[in-house]
Amino acid sequence: MTADIPRPDAQVHFGIFFQGVNHTTIWSDPSSGSQIDFETFRRVATTAERGLFDAFFLGEGLRLREQDGRILELDIAGRPDAIAQLAALAGITERIGLVATQNTTYNEPADLARRLSGLDVISGGRAGWNAVTTDNAWTGENFRRGGYLDHAHRYDRAAEFVGTVREIWDSWRDHAIATSQHGANWIEPDAIAPVERAGAHIRATIRPTLPRSPQGHPVIFQAGDSPTGRDFAAANADVIFSRHGTHFDDALAFARDVRTRLRAAGRPEDDIKILPGTQIVLAEKESEVEEKVRWVREGQYTGQTTLSLAGQVWGKDLSDRDPDGPLPAEDPEPRPISETRGAPRGGQDPLEIAREWRARAEAENLSLRQVVIATTARSGFAGTPAGVADELARWVRHGATDGFNISPYLVPTGLDEIVESLVPELQERGVYRTEYTGTTLREHLGLRDPLTRRA
């Protein structure tokens, strides 16, 4: 009965997340391709477009991850410059959105606004910007301002940065350019307004160089999950990513919190699309699902990767241990977990982590590798195409999310089974498009006009 479904007409939106640096892509599988060659990016993007995905999304890394002062050789090290890569993909795709992760800490607004606007114009209005922040000195060492920004100020700079970029994008009036050769001028007089900014973090005088695209300006994505990050999204973003792509109740609580923050910011509660990251494992028969999941997990968490992740907790080299044996008997060394692999364990005390892992191992009779998988892997969705389609439809139509940003465990072939078997099941249920009905990313996502251009 549709009366029991809060959003009976809601549609599932899909994005594809090409991660680059990570250990969850099974790079050692024979069907895995290069993480740098353009052919891999072409294959993934065109497969996603064939599957009518909303967007192709590229992660960004400003420094390779390290452990104990050395480049972590277990990680895939991809991630060419996102805007350069997406500009190339714009020429071989027609509809799919192209989303670049770009940092507000180590870029300048005038330069980044121009490059993103360039991608938006040449793609016909298909560009998106995932605005992220960084505050650690480790990443900053690659820049002349390394480590200069206090953690408490990273969103202050981000807000000024996004505001400045929006002013740049809005500085050209609509219909500023002549539409035919019969016009008196190529551009209308006074059609471009200079941008003056004198904030605490951004001080600039800018004369923008590019007109608007068919979608107004690039769609703004945001991925912060902290309270400050959620407030930033409610004030600035069109789409928010989240880590709540596994458990329905967690996802629903996150969605309700975001909608509350939207109302507090004076926006309609459906003004942001929520797309949690997730992984999807499909098998033809229900009896094959468990074995398929096991194969994926063992490929993602090799023995070396297991010992590397555990070594972060114990603060020492565990490479001589048996990953399929018991947890180390000794306690972790009392020093912080290295920050050189991102934001490890959310700052949790290593001794506390070890206690939790040991309790889990004892209660469930787990090896070290099994504990690492159980505590760090995101389970996502696993099942037959029909079963997973039912579950995705439930999430979207009950308001837990608007869709999913999928991270394939194999690149470039990992999307094939989703496009060929899951998408048709969703279409059969009337919960997924059967064709693109618009040409811009904003239209694909069903978004309103940019915030700064509403009456």
Side-chain angles (χ1 to χ4, degrees):
M1 294 290 291
T2 57
D4 299 326
I5 302 175
R7 305 194 304 177
D9 298 322
Q11 299 284 293
V12 173
H13 294 270
F14 274 161
I16 163 65
F17 179 29
F18 195 110
Q19 295 187 74
V21 177
N22 70 97
H23 70 267
T24 56
T25 302
I26 308 175
W27 63 266
S28 58
D29 187 88
S31 64
S32 183
S34 167
Q35 301 290 305
I36 299 175
D37 290 350
F38 183 72
E39 172 59 21
T40 299
F41 293 85
R42 183 203 66 79
R43 169 75 184 274
V44 174
T46 55
T47 300
E49 188 168 63
R50 177 163 55 88
L52 305 175
F53 278 46
D54 291 68
F56 176 90
F57 167 67
L58 275 178
E60 181 81 304
L62 299 178
R63 180 165 174 165
L64 293 178
R65 293 192 290 187
E66 301 171 14
Q67 190 161 1
D68 300 323
R70 300 190 303 273
I71 298 297
L72 184 68
E73 71 273 16
L74 300 176
D75 261 350
I76 289 169
R79 293 184 176 174
D81 177 72
I83 295 177
Q85 196 71 270
L86 294 173
L89 292 173
I92 60 168
T93 56
E94 295 180 357
R95 295 295 185 89
I96 193 166
L98 304 165
V99 185
T101 300
Q102 296 289 294
N103 200 291
T104 61
T105 306
Y106 300 118
N107 279 297
E108 292 298 333
D111 176 59
L112 183 56
R114 183 173 186 269
R115 292 191 294 127
L116 287 166
S117 184
L119 176 62
D120 204 29
V121 169
I122 66 170
S123 67
R126 293 188 283 138
W129 171 29
N130 180 32
V132 298
T133 67
T134 304
D135 66 344
N136 63 66
W138 167 68
T139 298
E141 285 178 2
N142 278 358
F143 300 86
R144 62 186 175 89
R145 291 200 307 262
Y148 84 102
L149 190 63
D150 289 339
H151 182 84
H153 295 152
R154 62 191 181 121
Y155 278 115
D156 294 338
R157 176 178 168 86
E160 282 191 36
F161 195 109
V162 172
T164 304
V165 168
R166 274 208 171 103
E167 285 186 48
I168 295 169
W169 288 339
D170 288 338
S171 64
W172 283 58
R173 291 208 305 261
D174 285 332
H175 314 299
I177 298 173
T179 57
S180 78
Q181 288 84 355
H182 302 295
N185 307 296
W186 186 80
I187 191 169
E188 292 183 3
D190 302 320
I192 309 170
V195 174
E196 299 279 350
R197 196 77 177 189
H201 298 275
I202 307 293
R203 301 181 66 87
T205 299
I206 303 160
R207 292 193 175 273
T209 59
L210 284 171
R212 294 171 179 166
S213 79
Q215 68 172 351
H217 66 60
V219 174
I220 296 178
F221 293 68
Q222 201 271 337
D225 202 20
S226 67
T228 306
R230 296 183 193 193
D231 282 338
F232 177 80
N236 296 283
D238 301 302
V239 181
I240 185 169
F241 295 136
S242 85
R243 291 179 286 183
H244 304 282
T246 297
H247 302 294
F248 177 85
D249 290 342
D250 289 345
L252 186 59
F254 174 84
R256 287 171 173 167
D257 180 71
V258 168
R259 289 165 189 148
T260 297
R261 294 173 194 267
L262 280 168
R263 290 193 297 269
R267 298 175 63 182
E269 68 172 25
D270 63 345
D271 215 29
I272 280 183
K273 297 298 181 185
I274 301 171
L275 301 179
T278 198
Q279 180 177 268
I280 295 175
V281 179
L282 300 173
E284 290 186 11
K285 301 176 182 178
E286 193 65 45
S287 59
E288 299 171 349
V289 173
E290 185 176 346
E291 174 62 21
K292 182 77 171 284
V293 170
R294 185 192 64 77
W295 176 82
V296 171
R297 292 287 180 261
E298 289 184 356
Q300 293 172 324
Y301 291 83
T302 64
Q304 289 175 291
T305 295
T306 296
L307 295 174
S308 172
L309 293 170
Q312 282 190 279
V313 175
W314 264 263
K316 62 172 65 176
D317 182 3
L318 299 178
S319 60
D320 61 340
R321 307 296 177 100
D322 178 6
D324 296 309
L327 276 66
E330 68 273 22
D331 284 336
E333 295 184 4
R335 63 187 180 90
I337 300 173
S338 170
E339 293 262 351
T340 58
R341 293 194 62 189
R345 310 293 179 202
Q348 190 179 2
D349 177 22
L351 289 170
E352 182 182 346
I353 296 172
R355 284 193 293 270
E356 292 176 358
W357 284 17
R358 285 168 175 158
R360 184 82 175 259
E362 183 177 354
E364 301 177 31
N365 191 30
L366 302 178
S367 68
L368 176 58
R369 178 169 8 198
Q370 290 169 326
V371 169
V372 170
I373 291 173
T375 57
T376 65
R378 296 179 188 171
S379 57
F381 299 90
T384 64
V388 171
D390 286 339
E391 188 64 4
L392 299 187
R394 181 175 79 94
W395 279 52
V396 169
R397 294 199 158 168
H398 283 81
T401 181
D402 294 292
F404 302 88
N405 207 31
I406 300 171
S407 296
Y409 52 84
L410 282 177
V411 171
T413 60
L415 273 192
D416 293 356
E417 62 182 4
I418 292 173
V419 169
E420 293 163 9
S421 61
L422 178 58
V423 166
E425 291 285 351
L426 292 167
Q427 290 171 330
E428 186 176 308
R429 288 156 177 75
V431 75
Y432 195 85
R433 64 168 62 97
T434 56
E435 62 180 351
Y436 288 113
T437 55
T439 61
T440 70
L441 177 55
R442 190 169 296 276
E443 288 173 322
H444 298 341
L445 290 163
L447 295 169
R448 297 177 176 88
D449 288 339
L451 283 171
T452 51
R453 301 188 59 207
R454 298 180 190 177

